[in-house]
Amino acid sequence: MLNLPKKVTIIEVGPRDGLQNEKSFVPTDIKKQFIGELWKAGFQEMELTSFVSPKWVPQMGDAAEIAVDCLNADARNIVLAPNRKGIDRVYSTDCQAVAVFVGVSNSFNQKNINKSTRAGMAELAPILAELKGKNYFVRACISTAFYCPYEGKIAESDTIKLCQEFIDAGVDELSVADTIGMATPAESYSLFSRLKNLFPHTLLTAHFHDTRKLALANIFASLQAGIDRFDSSAGGLGGCPFAPGASGNVATEDVVYMLDRMGIDTGVNLHKLIDAIEVVRPHLSRPIESGYYRLHTQIF
Ligand code: HMG
Ligand code: MG
């Protein structure tokens, strides 16, 4: 018997993960329209932008403006921040949900945040305590939870140890990522089953990149493990600039289509989602390649 929930929460990450990896800067006004249309499609949670160094990721250089102008009072407005400077920038907005990020792999962290895993966690410890003290919703993004572009296979036990550290620090959610799209459904099922058993009171989210076109299979395997929260990106955009091989996130429209067809409610309207993609598409450096988008735009 399949283990399927009645309802799944989709966390739309297109405006952040999707656009951070675009070759050129998508104009701020287009980003605002894109986010506005995405809200209309019915998402309850969205990563809007990230307060990282604009020298490192120029595509997110307009974070301050996006995080002020694109908020939805009825939804969870998530912004990323890697360090003290990022958090102080978050405090100048009304965003109440912060995503921090550290990978399991030391080599990946050196490339992505210019620090080792230990140094990254040490820097975050007082920040996490402060955020919880101020009643922020805190999401911890665990990169390279399965494979690292520099170190290869990551031991499940190492991923679990890092997740445990974040749980001990009081985070509300773990978003566990297959950064370079290399996990198999068997690996996803194994890790997420263990996390679900270990951390039954924490929101657990799966974040799959679709480099090898295994993301939908990984989502299906994670559903079997009891996961009912998934990050995905409209149009399948995305990737981490510091993780070679990290192509786009799984496309939101493909995830919603699959779940809809299985009778699982996501609250996301596919037609409105396509309208949102059409806003940003002319400004992208690559075509939209998701199965649902291609069929929909050929047929309708
Ligand atoms: P650093 O160069 O070591 O930092 O970078 P620094 O403290 O030496 O500062 C260097 C300069 O950056 C200074 O400016 C700082 O003020 C400035 P200068 O004095 O030279 O003019 N700076 C900042 N400016 C704005 N906001 C900030 C900030 N911090 C420093 N927050 C740092 C360290 C962490 C800043 C850098 O490595 C960085 O920004 N990294 C972010 C990389 C990134 O955004 N990666 C993608 C997001 S993670 C991801 O995609 C994975 C995920 O999707 C899950 C998955 O799929 O795996 C979540
Ligand atoms: Mg990602």
Short mmCIF file of all heavy atoms in Angstrom, two decimals, residues 128-193:
data_model
loop_
_atom_site.label_atom_id
_atom_site.label_comp_id
_atom_site.label_asym_id
_atom_site.label_seq_id
_atom_site.Cartn_x
_atom_site.Cartn_y
_atom_site.Cartn_z
N LEU A 128 21.65 32.00 15.78
CA LEU A 128 20.45 31.16 15.91
C LEU A 128 19.77 31.43 17.25
O LEU A 128 18.54 31.56 17.33
CB LEU A 128 20.82 29.67 15.78
CG LEU A 128 21.34 29.24 14.40
CD1 LEU A 128 21.82 27.80 14.42
CD2 LEU A 128 20.26 29.42 13.33
N ALA A 129 20.58 31.54 18.31
CA ALA A 129 20.01 31.80 19.64
C ALA A 129 19.29 33.15 19.63
O ALA A 129 18.17 33.30 20.16
CB ALA A 129 21.11 31.79 20.69
N GLU A 130 19.92 34.12 19.00
CA GLU A 130 19.31 35.46 18.93
C GLU A 130 18.00 35.44 18.14
O GLU A 130 16.99 36.01 18.57
CB GLU A 130 20.33 36.39 18.26
CG GLU A 130 19.91 37.82 18.16
CD GLU A 130 21.01 38.62 17.48
OE1 GLU A 130 22.10 38.78 18.08
OE2 GLU A 130 20.78 39.08 16.35
N LEU A 131 18.02 34.75 16.99
CA LEU A 131 16.80 34.70 16.16
C LEU A 131 15.66 34.04 16.92
O LEU A 131 14.52 34.50 16.89
CB LEU A 131 17.07 33.91 14.86
CG LEU A 131 17.91 34.63 13.80
CD1 LEU A 131 18.30 33.64 12.69
CD2 LEU A 131 17.14 35.80 13.20
N LYS A 132 15.96 32.95 17.64
CA LYS A 132 14.90 32.28 18.39
C LYS A 132 14.42 33.18 19.53
O LYS A 132 13.22 33.25 19.82
CB LYS A 132 15.38 30.91 18.93
CG LYS A 132 15.50 29.81 17.89
CD LYS A 132 14.39 29.75 16.84
CE LYS A 132 13.00 29.53 17.37
NZ LYS A 132 11.95 29.76 16.33
N GLY A 133 15.36 33.90 20.14
CA GLY A 133 14.98 34.84 21.21
C GLY A 133 14.04 35.92 20.70
O GLY A 133 13.20 36.44 21.44
N LYS A 134 14.19 36.27 19.44
CA LYS A 134 13.32 37.30 18.85
C LYS A 134 12.11 36.70 18.15
O LYS A 134 11.43 37.37 17.38
CB LYS A 134 14.13 38.11 17.81
CG LYS A 134 15.23 39.00 18.39
CD LYS A 134 15.99 39.67 17.24
CE LYS A 134 17.19 40.47 17.70
NZ LYS A 134 16.86 41.81 18.16
N ASN A 135 11.89 35.41 18.34
CA ASN A 135 10.71 34.72 17.77
C ASN A 135 10.68 34.60 16.26
O ASN A 135 9.61 34.54 15.67
CB ASN A 135 9.42 35.41 18.21
CG ASN A 135 8.97 34.83 19.52
OD1 ASN A 135 9.23 33.65 19.80
ND2 ASN A 135 8.34 35.66 20.34
N TYR A 136 11.85 34.59 15.63
CA TYR A 136 11.88 34.35 14.19
C TYR A 136 11.63 32.87 13.91
O TYR A 136 11.99 32.00 14.73
CB TYR A 136 13.25 34.75 13.61
CG TYR A 136 13.34 36.21 13.28
CD1 TYR A 136 13.57 37.15 14.28
CD2 TYR A 136 13.20 36.66 11.97
CE1 TYR A 136 13.65 38.51 13.98
CE2 TYR A 136 13.27 38.01 11.67
CZ TYR A 136 13.50 38.93 12.68
OH TYR A 136 13.56 40.26 12.37
N PHE A 137 11.04 32.60 12.76
CA PHE A 137 10.97 31.22 12.26
C PHE A 137 12.33 30.94 11.61
O PHE A 137 12.78 31.71 10.75
CB PHE A 137 9.85 31.10 11.22
CG PHE A 137 9.76 29.72 10.60
CD1 PHE A 137 8.91 28.76 11.14
CD2 PHE A 137 10.53 29.39 9.48
CE1 PHE A 137 8.82 27.49 10.57
CE2 PHE A 137 10.45 28.12 8.92
CZ PHE A 137 9.59 27.18 9.46
N VAL A 138 12.97 29.85 12.03
CA VAL A 138 14.32 29.58 11.49
C VAL A 138 14.33 28.26 10.72
O VAL A 138 13.95 27.21 11.24
CB VAL A 138 15.38 29.55 12.61
CG1 VAL A 138 16.76 29.27 12.00
CG2 VAL A 138 15.40 30.87 13.37
N ARG A 139 14.79 28.39 9.51
CA ARG A 139 14.90 27.24 8.61
C ARG A 139 16.39 26.99 8.39
O ARG A 139 17.15 27.94 8.10
CB ARG A 139 14.20 27.63 7.31
CG ARG A 139 14.50 26.88 6.05
CD ARG A 139 13.51 27.41 5.00
NE ARG A 139 13.89 27.16 3.63
CZ ARG A 139 13.33 26.20 2.87
NH1 ARG A 139 12.43 25.38 3.38
NH2 ARG A 139 13.69 26.06 1.63
N ALA A 140 16.83 25.77 8.55
CA ALA A 140 18.24 25.45 8.31
C ALA A 140 18.34 24.63 7.04
O ALA A 140 17.72 23.57 6.92
CB ALA A 140 18.80 24.65 9.48
N CYS A 141 19.09 25.16 6.07
CA CYS A 141 19.27 24.44 4.80
C CYS A 141 20.56 23.64 4.88
O CYS A 141 21.64 24.21 5.09
CB CYS A 141 19.34 25.44 3.64
SG CYS A 141 17.88 26.48 3.48
N ILE A 142 20.42 22.34 4.71
CA ILE A 142 21.58 21.45 4.84
C ILE A 142 22.02 21.04 3.44
O ILE A 142 21.41 20.15 2.82
CB ILE A 142 21.20 20.16 5.63
CG1 ILE A 142 20.38 20.48 6.89
CG2 ILE A 142 22.42 19.31 5.92
CD1 ILE A 142 21.15 21.15 7.98
N SER A 143 23.05 21.70 2.94
CA SER A 143 23.54 21.38 1.59
C SER A 143 24.37 20.11 1.61
O SER A 143 24.84 19.67 2.66
CB SER A 143 24.40 22.53 1.06
OG SER A 143 23.61 23.64 0.77
N THR A 144 24.58 19.58 0.41
CA THR A 144 25.40 18.37 0.21
C THR A 144 25.05 17.26 1.22
O THR A 144 25.92 16.62 1.79
CB THR A 144 26.93 18.68 0.26
OG1 THR A 144 27.27 19.25 1.54
CG2 THR A 144 27.35 19.63 -0.84
N ALA A 145 23.76 17.05 1.41
CA ALA A 145 23.32 16.05 2.39
C ALA A 145 23.54 14.62 1.87
O ALA A 145 23.54 13.67 2.66
CB ALA A 145 21.84 16.27 2.71
N PHE A 146 23.71 14.49 0.55
CA PHE A 146 23.91 13.16 -0.04
C PHE A 146 25.27 13.05 -0.75
O PHE A 146 25.99 12.09 -0.57
CB PHE A 146 22.80 12.85 -1.05
CG PHE A 146 21.42 12.80 -0.47
CD1 PHE A 146 20.63 13.95 -0.41
CD2 PHE A 146 20.90 11.61 0.00
CE1 PHE A 146 19.34 13.90 0.11
CE2 PHE A 146 19.61 11.55 0.53
CZ PHE A 146 18.84 12.71 0.58
N TYR A 147 25.54 14.04 -1.59
CA TYR A 147 26.79 14.04 -2.37
C TYR A 147 27.35 15.46 -2.41
O TYR A 147 26.59 16.43 -2.36
CB TYR A 147 26.54 13.58 -3.82
CG TYR A 147 26.26 12.10 -3.92
CD1 TYR A 147 24.96 11.61 -3.81
CD2 TYR A 147 27.30 11.19 -4.10
CE1 TYR A 147 24.70 10.25 -3.88
CE2 TYR A 147 27.05 9.83 -4.16
CZ TYR A 147 25.75 9.37 -4.05
OH TYR A 147 25.52 8.02 -4.11
N CYS A 148 28.69 15.54 -2.54
CA CYS A 148 29.36 16.83 -2.66
C CYS A 148 30.10 16.84 -3.99
O CYS A 148 30.68 15.83 -4.39
CB CYS A 148 30.35 16.97 -1.51
SG CYS A 148 31.52 18.33 -1.76
N PRO A 149 30.10 17.99 -4.68
CA PRO A 149 30.80 18.04 -5.96
C PRO A 149 32.32 17.88 -5.80
O PRO A 149 33.01 17.56 -6.76
CB PRO A 149 30.46 19.43 -6.52
CG PRO A 149 29.97 20.22 -5.36
CD PRO A 149 29.40 19.26 -4.38
N TYR A 150 32.83 18.10 -4.60
CA TYR A 150 34.29 18.02 -4.37
C TYR A 150 34.69 16.75 -3.62
O TYR A 150 35.77 16.22 -3.81
CB TYR A 150 34.76 19.25 -3.58
CG TYR A 150 34.25 20.54 -4.18
CD1 TYR A 150 33.18 21.24 -3.60
CD2 TYR A 150 34.81 21.06 -5.35
CE1 TYR A 150 32.69 22.40 -4.17
CE2 TYR A 150 34.33 22.22 -5.93
CZ TYR A 150 33.26 22.89 -5.33
OH TYR A 150 32.78 24.04 -5.91
N GLU A 151 33.81 16.28 -2.71
CA GLU A 151 34.18 15.16 -1.85
C GLU A 151 33.47 13.85 -2.21
O GLU A 151 33.76 12.81 -1.64
CB GLU A 151 33.88 15.49 -0.38
CG GLU A 151 34.77 16.59 0.17
CD GLU A 151 34.52 16.91 1.64
OE1 GLU A 151 33.83 16.13 2.34
OE2 GLU A 151 35.02 17.95 2.09
N GLY A 152 32.49 13.90 -3.11
CA GLY A 152 31.77 12.68 -3.47
C GLY A 152 30.70 12.33 -2.45
O GLY A 152 30.08 13.20 -1.84
N LYS A 153 30.56 11.02 -2.21
CA LYS A 153 29.48 10.53 -1.35
C LYS A 153 29.64 11.05 0.09
O LYS A 153 30.74 11.02 0.64
CB LYS A 153 29.51 9.00 -1.38
CG LYS A 153 28.59 8.32 -0.39
CD LYS A 153 27.24 7.98 -1.00
CE LYS A 153 26.31 7.30 0.00
NZ LYS A 153 25.01 7.94 0.12
N ILE A 154 28.55 11.49 0.67
CA ILE A 154 28.55 11.96 2.06
C ILE A 154 27.90 10.88 2.92
O ILE A 154 26.83 10.35 2.57
CB ILE A 154 27.73 13.28 2.16
CG1 ILE A 154 28.38 14.39 1.33
CG2 ILE A 154 27.54 13.71 3.62
CD1 ILE A 154 29.72 14.89 1.80
N ALA A 155 28.53 10.58 4.04
CA ALA A 155 27.98 9.53 4.92
C ALA A 155 26.68 10.02 5.55
O ALA A 155 26.60 11.16 6.03
CB ALA A 155 28.99 9.19 6.01
N GLU A 156 25.68 9.15 5.55
CA GLU A 156 24.39 9.49 6.14
C GLU A 156 24.58 9.96 7.59
O GLU A 156 23.93 10.90 8.05
CB GLU A 156 23.49 8.25 6.08
CG GLU A 156 22.03 8.54 6.08
CD GLU A 156 21.20 7.27 5.90
OE1 GLU A 156 21.06 6.52 6.89
OE2 GLU A 156 20.70 7.03 4.80
N SER A 157 25.49 9.30 8.29
CA SER A 157 25.68 9.65 9.71
C SER A 157 26.21 11.08 9.85
O SER A 157 25.86 11.77 10.82
CB SER A 157 26.65 8.66 10.37
OG SER A 157 27.84 8.60 9.61
N ASP A 158 27.01 11.55 8.90
CA ASP A 158 27.52 12.94 8.99
C ASP A 158 26.37 13.93 8.77
O ASP A 158 26.30 14.98 9.43
CB ASP A 158 28.61 13.18 7.94
CG ASP A 158 29.90 12.45 8.29
OD1 ASP A 158 30.04 12.00 9.46
OD2 ASP A 158 30.76 12.32 7.40
N THR A 159 25.49 13.61 7.84
CA THR A 159 24.34 14.50 7.60
C THR A 159 23.46 14.55 8.85
O THR A 159 23.01 15.63 9.27
CB THR A 159 23.53 14.00 6.38
OG1 THR A 159 24.41 14.02 5.24
CG2 THR A 159 22.32 14.86 6.11
N ILE A 160 23.23 13.38 9.43
CA ILE A 160 22.37 13.34 10.62
C ILE A 160 23.00 14.13 11.76
O ILE A 160 22.30 14.86 12.48
CB ILE A 160 22.09 11.87 11.01
CG1 ILE A 160 21.14 11.27 9.95
CG2 ILE A 160 21.50 11.75 12.41
CD1 ILE A 160 20.91 9.79 10.07
N LYS A 161 24.32 14.04 11.90
CA LYS A 161 25.00 14.79 12.99
C LYS A 161 24.79 16.30 12.82
O LYS A 161 24.51 17.01 13.78
CB LYS A 161 26.51 14.49 12.94
CG LYS A 161 26.97 13.56 14.05
CD LYS A 161 28.48 13.44 14.07
CE LYS A 161 28.88 12.03 13.69
NZ LYS A 161 30.22 11.85 13.18
N LEU A 162 24.93 16.78 11.58
CA LEU A 162 24.75 18.22 11.35
C LEU A 162 23.29 18.62 11.61
O LEU A 162 23.02 19.66 12.23
CB LEU A 162 25.18 18.61 9.93
CG LEU A 162 25.22 20.10 9.65
CD1 LEU A 162 26.29 20.80 10.51
CD2 LEU A 162 25.50 20.39 8.17
N CYS A 163 22.36 17.77 11.16
CA CYS A 163 20.94 18.05 11.42
C CYS A 163 20.70 18.13 12.93
O CYS A 163 20.00 19.03 13.43
CB CYS A 163 20.05 16.96 10.82
SG CYS A 163 20.00 16.99 9.02
N GLN A 164 21.29 17.19 13.68
CA GLN A 164 21.12 17.17 15.14
C GLN A 164 21.62 18.49 15.76
O GLN A 164 20.99 19.05 16.67
CB GLN A 164 21.87 15.97 15.73
CG GLN A 164 21.74 15.83 17.25
CD GLN A 164 20.33 15.38 17.67
OE1 GLN A 164 19.89 14.30 17.29
NE2 GLN A 164 19.63 16.22 18.43
N GLU A 165 22.75 18.99 15.24
CA GLU A 165 23.28 20.26 15.79
C GLU A 165 22.28 21.40 15.60
O GLU A 165 22.09 22.23 16.48
CB GLU A 165 24.58 20.63 15.07
CG GLU A 165 25.80 19.99 15.67
CD GLU A 165 27.08 20.55 15.05
OE1 GLU A 165 27.36 21.75 15.22
OE2 GLU A 165 27.77 19.77 14.37
N PHE A 166 21.67 21.43 14.42
CA PHE A 166 20.68 22.49 14.17
C PHE A 166 19.45 22.30 15.05
O PHE A 166 18.88 23.28 15.55
CB PHE A 166 20.29 22.52 12.69
CG PHE A 166 21.22 23.34 11.84
CD1 PHE A 166 22.02 22.74 10.88
CD2 PHE A 166 21.31 24.71 12.01
CE1 PHE A 166 22.88 23.51 10.10
CE2 PHE A 166 22.17 25.50 11.24
CZ PHE A 166 22.95 24.88 10.27
N ILE A 167 19.04 21.05 15.23
CA ILE A 167 17.88 20.79 16.10
C ILE A 167 18.21 21.26 17.52
O ILE A 167 17.39 21.92 18.18
CB ILE A 167 17.54 19.28 16.12
CG1 ILE A 167 17.16 18.80 14.73
CG2 ILE A 167 16.46 18.98 17.17
CD1 ILE A 167 15.77 19.09 14.28
N ASP A 168 19.42 20.94 17.99
CA ASP A 168 19.82 21.35 19.34
C ASP A 168 19.83 22.88 19.46
O ASP A 168 19.63 23.42 20.54
CB ASP A 168 21.20 20.78 19.69
CG ASP A 168 21.17 19.26 19.81
OD1 ASP A 168 20.06 18.70 19.93
OD2 ASP A 168 22.25 18.63 19.74
N ALA A 169 20.07 23.55 18.34
CA ALA A 169 20.09 25.02 18.37
C ALA A 169 18.67 25.59 18.27
O ALA A 169 18.49 26.81 18.28
CB ALA A 169 20.94 25.55 17.22
N GLY A 170 17.67 24.71 18.14
CA GLY A 170 16.28 25.17 18.22
C GLY A 170 15.64 25.58 16.91
O GLY A 170 14.62 26.28 16.92
N VAL A 171 16.21 25.15 15.76
CA VAL A 171 15.59 25.58 14.49
C VAL A 171 14.21 24.95 14.34
O VAL A 171 13.90 23.92 14.94
CB VAL A 171 16.48 25.22 13.26
CG1 VAL A 171 17.86 25.83 13.39
CG2 VAL A 171 16.55 23.72 13.04
N ASP A 172 13.38 25.59 13.53
CA ASP A 172 12.01 25.12 13.32
C ASP A 172 11.90 24.14 12.17
O ASP A 172 10.97 23.34 12.12
CB ASP A 172 11.10 26.33 13.00
CG ASP A 172 11.13 27.35 14.12
OD1 ASP A 172 10.46 27.11 15.12
OD2 ASP A 172 11.87 28.36 14.00
N GLU A 173 12.83 24.24 11.23
CA GLU A 173 12.72 23.43 10.01
C GLU A 173 14.11 23.03 9.52
O GLU A 173 15.05 23.82 9.60
CB GLU A 173 12.03 24.26 8.91
CG GLU A 173 11.89 23.54 7.59
CD GLU A 173 11.39 24.43 6.45
OE1 GLU A 173 11.40 25.68 6.59
OE2 GLU A 173 10.98 23.87 5.42
N LEU A 174 14.20 21.83 9.00
CA LEU A 174 15.40 21.41 8.27
C LEU A 174 15.01 21.24 6.81
O LEU A 174 14.06 20.51 6.51
CB LEU A 174 15.91 20.05 8.78
CG LEU A 174 16.41 19.96 10.21
CD1 LEU A 174 16.73 18.50 10.55
CD2 LEU A 174 17.66 20.82 10.41
N SER A 175 15.72 21.92 5.91
CA SER A 175 15.52 21.68 4.49
C SER A 175 16.77 20.94 4.02
O SER A 175 17.87 21.50 3.98
CB SER A 175 15.36 23.00 3.74
OG SER A 175 15.43 22.76 2.35
N VAL A 176 16.59 19.68 3.71
CA VAL A 176 17.74 18.79 3.49
C VAL A 176 17.94 18.63 1.98
O VAL A 176 17.02 18.20 1.27
CB VAL A 176 17.48 17.44 4.18
CG1 VAL A 176 18.63 16.48 3.95
CG2 VAL A 176 17.24 17.67 5.68
N ALA A 177 19.14 19.00 1.51
CA ALA A 177 19.31 19.21 0.07
C ALA A 177 20.21 18.22 -0.63
O ALA A 177 21.31 17.91 -0.16
CB ALA A 177 19.85 20.63 -0.17
N ASP A 178 19.73 17.80 -1.79
CA ASP A 178 20.57 17.06 -2.74
C ASP A 178 21.10 18.11 -3.72
O ASP A 178 20.56 18.31 -4.81
CB ASP A 178 19.72 16.00 -3.45
CG ASP A 178 20.54 15.20 -4.45
OD1 ASP A 178 21.78 15.17 -4.33
OD2 ASP A 178 19.93 14.59 -5.36
N THR A 179 22.15 18.78 -3.32
CA THR A 179 22.66 19.98 -4.00
C THR A 179 23.00 19.75 -5.47
O THR A 179 22.75 20.61 -6.31
CB THR A 179 23.91 20.48 -3.26
OG1 THR A 179 23.59 20.59 -1.87
CG2 THR A 179 24.42 21.81 -3.78
N ILE A 180 23.58 18.59 -5.78
CA ILE A 180 24.00 18.37 -7.17
C ILE A 180 23.15 17.30 -7.86
O ILE A 180 23.54 16.73 -8.88
CB ILE A 180 25.51 18.04 -7.28
CG1 ILE A 180 25.89 16.84 -6.38
CG2 ILE A 180 26.34 19.26 -6.93
CD1 ILE A 180 27.29 16.29 -6.67
N GLY A 181 21.98 17.03 -7.29
CA GLY A 181 21.04 16.13 -7.97
C GLY A 181 21.62 14.75 -8.25
O GLY A 181 21.55 14.25 -9.37
N MET A 182 22.18 14.14 -7.21
CA MET A 182 22.83 12.85 -7.43
C MET A 182 22.24 11.73 -6.57
O MET A 182 22.58 10.56 -6.74
CB MET A 182 24.32 13.01 -7.12
CG MET A 182 25.17 12.01 -7.84
SD MET A 182 26.88 12.48 -7.79
CE MET A 182 27.59 10.92 -8.31
N ALA A 183 21.37 12.10 -5.64
CA ALA A 183 20.79 11.07 -4.75
C ALA A 183 19.90 10.13 -5.55
O ALA A 183 19.30 10.53 -6.56
CB ALA A 183 19.98 11.74 -3.65
N THR A 184 19.80 8.91 -5.09
CA THR A 184 18.85 7.96 -5.69
C THR A 184 17.62 7.90 -4.78
O THR A 184 17.68 8.27 -3.60
CB THR A 184 19.44 6.54 -5.77
OG1 THR A 184 19.61 6.07 -4.41
CG2 THR A 184 20.78 6.53 -6.50
N PRO A 185 16.50 7.40 -5.32
CA PRO A 185 15.31 7.25 -4.46
C PRO A 185 15.60 6.38 -3.24
O PRO A 185 15.07 6.64 -2.15
CB PRO A 185 14.30 6.60 -5.41
CG PRO A 185 14.70 7.10 -6.76
CD PRO A 185 16.20 7.16 -6.74
N ALA A 186 16.44 5.36 -3.38
CA ALA A 186 16.74 4.50 -2.22
C ALA A 186 17.48 5.31 -1.14
O ALA A 186 17.19 5.18 0.06
CB ALA A 186 17.59 3.31 -2.65
N GLU A 187 18.42 6.17 -1.58
CA GLU A 187 19.15 7.00 -0.60
C GLU A 187 18.22 8.02 0.05
O GLU A 187 18.32 8.31 1.25
CB GLU A 187 20.33 7.69 -1.29
CG GLU A 187 21.46 6.74 -1.65
CD GLU A 187 22.48 7.34 -2.62
OE1 GLU A 187 22.09 8.13 -3.52
OE2 GLU A 187 23.66 6.99 -2.51
N SER A 188 17.32 8.59 -0.75
CA SER A 188 16.38 9.57 -0.18
C SER A 188 15.48 8.91 0.85
O SER A 188 15.26 9.44 1.94
CB SER A 188 15.49 10.16 -1.28
OG SER A 188 16.29 10.83 -2.20
N TYR A 189 14.97 7.73 0.49
CA TYR A 189 14.08 7.03 1.41
C TYR A 189 14.81 6.72 2.71
O TYR A 189 14.28 6.94 3.82
CB TYR A 189 13.56 5.73 0.77
CG TYR A 189 12.62 4.98 1.67
CD1 TYR A 189 11.28 5.36 1.77
CD2 TYR A 189 13.07 3.92 2.47
CE1 TYR A 189 10.41 4.70 2.63
CE2 TYR A 189 12.21 3.26 3.32
CZ TYR A 189 10.88 3.65 3.40
OH TYR A 189 10.03 3.01 4.25
N SER A 190 16.03 6.27 2.59
CA SER A 190 16.80 5.89 3.78
C SER A 190 17.05 7.11 4.69
O SER A 190 16.74 7.08 5.89
CB SER A 190 18.13 5.27 3.32
OG SER A 190 18.95 5.06 4.44
N LEU A 191 17.58 8.19 4.12
CA LEU A 191 17.90 9.35 4.97
C LEU A 191 16.63 9.97 5.55
O LEU A 191 16.56 10.24 6.76
CB LEU A 191 18.67 10.41 4.16
CG LEU A 191 19.02 11.68 4.93
CD1 LEU A 191 19.92 11.38 6.13
CD2 LEU A 191 19.68 12.73 4.04
N PHE A 192 15.62 10.16 4.72
CA PHE A 192 14.42 10.84 5.25
C PHE A 192 13.66 9.97 6.25
O PHE A 192 13.06 10.50 7.18
CB PHE A 192 13.53 11.34 4.10
CG PHE A 192 14.07 12.62 3.50
CD1 PHE A 192 14.60 12.65 2.23
CD2 PHE A 192 14.10 13.79 4.25
CE1 PHE A 192 15.13 13.83 1.70
CE2 PHE A 192 14.63 14.98 3.74
CZ PHE A 192 15.14 14.99 2.46
N SER A 193 13.69 8.65 6.08
CA SER A 193 13.05 7.79 7.09
C SER A 193 13.75 7.97 8.44
O SER A 193 13.10 8.07 9.49
CB SER A 193 13.15 6.31 6.72
OG SER A 193 12.55 6.09 5.49
#
